[in-house]
Amino acid sequence: MATTTKPNSPYLTDITLLAKVSWGRGWLWDCKIGAGTAISPASIVPAPKHPFDTWFPAVEVRENLATLVSKEVEAYIATYKIPQSTSSFSIELTFLDDANETLVGWLTDWINNIILGGGEYLLPLEEVVAPLYIAKLNPDRSLLDIEHAVSGYMVYPEGEIYYQGESEGGQHRYQVTFISVGSIKS
Amino acid sequence: MARPHITSIRGLGDFATLFQWNVTIPKPPAITMMGALDVDSDFNLRCFSSEVPKLVPVGSQDIWIRGHHIKQPGIYDSSHVITLVFLETVDSKVATMMKAWRDSCWNSQTGTQLEKIAVEATLRLTRLNRFDEEIWEYVLHGCFYEDGDPTGGTPLDGSTSDIIRPSMTLSYDWFEDGPAGAVGLLTAVMKRAVATIL
């Protein structure tokens, strides 16, 4: 019967083609933040305190991989777009903190006392950056065998951090945006 | 291939049974939480039935692409709870143990709690053969009091002469299982032995 024959087509014709692919899994990543001196000798940003000095309890990550802004040009009866520029890259981390507020204490110290100098001065960029690494993993938790399995960024935190107390069960969950001011060559 | 014959089945040897098992707490919570219940003997003696920990799928991954649907393994997770049923006696040893462990996890009047490390235990379930030799073990790490029913779900009434069988549900973080003696319990046993010596 014609309907049961395999179509002669260069496109997706057979479910076995899907089964041959190892599809990406959303949870196979990890991240870490180190001391600033690892990437900038002048940096005075310390690594997060124990137990988060070797791993980071992030539960979500959004890593800006590419941004392209177009320029819109109007001509005659149409509008055209041409590549124009890019913008600053950011990484959003959502993480859980421990009972001692270890991470939020470290982050607020980074913003209030290191970057803003306790409200008295503003330190230059080279003194306030820290390395943020994002690793992509295989199902066996080894690093992916690709060129950029580990992305490294020189970052500083941007935005506001609020402590939020509640009256029902839950964890302390924070979302922080880090601005990338440069990539780290691995 | 030939269908299994009765001699084939007889050749399998002894079958594993549901009634030959032990439950112990190699690493108990702070000993006061066990009340008057002896960790080494009473707990196992009075434990009437026990669930077995298992790994459950959080959801295998569905990949739909233009009418084709395949699946691949997703995240698996421990069941995270295990329910034990006990036999209560008139000295209320089981009730005392459940109350002490429960109050340590959450004091219902003050809402105070002990740190998890203070209230957690390591539980060991073993299945036995006909010679009461351990053949398989489950070791549950990070156990603490999650829920309990003082009468095991049977209300007190005026026409039932059955005994009280309290049930206690423990939460656990993760478990190991395997042939008896093969999983990583030795660490917990050794820690307890050291603690006893000290």
Side-chain angles (χ1 to χ4, degrees):
Chain A
M1 292 173 60
T3 54
T4 59
T5 57
K6 192 172 176 179
N8 182 17
S9 161
Y11 299 105
L12 176 61
T13 56
D14 189 336
I15 194 169
T16 60
L17 297 176
L18 296 187
K20 288 177 182 172
V21 178
S22 178
W23 298 94
R25 294 160 166 92
W27 68 92
L28 290 175
W29 58 276
D30 209 338
C31 71
K32 189 174 77 168
I33 298 180
T37 48
I39 45 141
S40 173
S43 176
I44 58 171
V45 180
K49 292 178 183 171
H50 179 78
F52 305 123
D53 47 351
T54 57
W55 63 282
F56 202 85
V59 292
E60 286 178 28
V61 65
R62 274 167 51 87
E63 178 187 8
N64 189 182
L65 296 176
T67 300
L68 181 63
V69 179
S70 294
K71 180 173 179 58
E72 204 167 88
V73 180
E74 292 183 15
Y76 304 105
I77 59 170
T79 302
Y80 305 91
K81 280 189 173 183
I82 54 173
Q84 181 184 36
S85 62
T86 186
S87 63
S88 65
F89 281 39
S90 63
I91 299 104
E92 289 176 18
L93 279 186
T94 304
F95 63 89
L96 305 180
D97 208 351
D98 68 1
N100 295 321
E101 299 284 323
T102 298
L103 285 175
V104 161
W106 164 76
L107 267 171
T108 51
D109 182 63
W110 188 355
I111 295 172
N112 292 334
N113 297 326
I114 295 177
I115 298 177
L116 298 174
E120 296 178 1
Y121 52 82
L122 204 58
L123 280 184
L125 194 58
E126 63 174 353
E127 296 182 32
V128 300
V129 289
L132 167 60
Y133 303 96
I134 300 169
K136 281 81 175 186
L137 308 175
N138 284 312
D140 66 357
R141 310 272 174 169
S142 61
L143 277 180
L144 275 184
D145 188 20
I146 59 173
E147 188 178 354
H148 298 294
V150 179
S151 312
Y153 300 97
M154 301 167 67
V155 299
Y156 70 87
E158 185 194 57
E160 300 161 327
I161 297 173
Y162 284 97
Y163 174 88
Q164 183 169 337
E166 299 168 351
S167 292
E168 297 178 358
Q171 299 89 35
H172 281 305
R173 189 182 180 99
Y174 296 93
Q175 187 176 52
V176 174
T177 300
F178 291 94
I179 300 299
S180 168
V181 296
S183 58
I184 303 168
K185 304 293 182 192
S186 56
Chain B
M1 189 166 64
R3 187 169 63 91
H5 200 264
I6 189 164
T7 54
S8 317
I9 298 169
R10 282 170 51 78
L12 290 175
D14 281 354
F15 292 94
T17 60
L18 288 171
F19 67 93
Q20 288 163 314
W21 55 277
N22 277 326
V23 58
T24 55
I25 308 183
K27 179 185 164 298
I31 209 73
T32 50
M33 289 175 212
M34 302 307 292
L37 208 64
D38 186 87
V39 175
D40 293 320
S41 58
D42 265 357
F43 191 83
N44 182 45
L45 177 64
R46 289 162 181 263
C47 190
F48 173 73
S49 72
S50 171
E51 290 180 338
V52 173
K54 61 179 183 176
L55 206 62
V56 293
V58 174
S60 51
Q61 291 190 307
D62 292 278
I63 292 118
W64 281 90
I65 296 184
R66 295 194 291 285
H68 294 302
H69 180 200
I70 64 160
K71 303 193 76 165
Q72 71 178 14
I75 295 175
Y76 291 78
D77 191 15
S78 303
S79 54
H80 283 292
V81 289
I82 182 173
T83 298
L84 308 170
V85 179
F86 295 88
L87 302 176
E88 183 62 293
T89 45
V90 291
D91 54 11
S92 299
K93 283 190 174 182
V94 176
T96 306
M97 181 265 292
M98 286 173 59
K99 172 181 165 49
W101 207 345
R102 182 195 67 199
D103 285 354
S104 304
C105 293
W106 180 266
N107 183 302
S108 61
Q109 182 182 7
T110 62
T112 53
Q113 298 174 287
L114 295 185
E115 293 285 350
K116 187 189 172 194
I117 195 168
V119 299
E120 71 176 8
T122 300
L123 200 77
R124 182 172 184 254
L125 264 174
T126 51
R127 289 198 285 104
L128 313 174
N129 64 13
R130 291 184 186 275
F131 302 104
D132 278 352
E133 295 166 339
E134 296 179 347
I135 54 174
W136 194 263
E137 67 180 334
Y138 302 90
V139 179
L140 290 75
H141 299 275
C143 301
F144 65 88
Y145 181 97
E146 167 91 14
D147 192 6
D149 192 318
T151 59
T154 305
L156 302 174
D157 67 9
S159 61
T160 306
S161 59
D162 198 4
I163 65 169
I164 290 178
R165 294 183 172 88
S167 63
M168 178 170 70
T169 300
L170 300 177
S171 272
Y172 65 93
D173 291 331
W174 64 287
F175 72 93
E176 300 171 272
D177 63 344
V183 302
L185 178 67
L186 280 178
T187 311
V189 173
M190 287 167 67
K191 280 181 182 172
R192 188 177 170 213
V194 171
T196 307
I197 293 168
L198 294 177

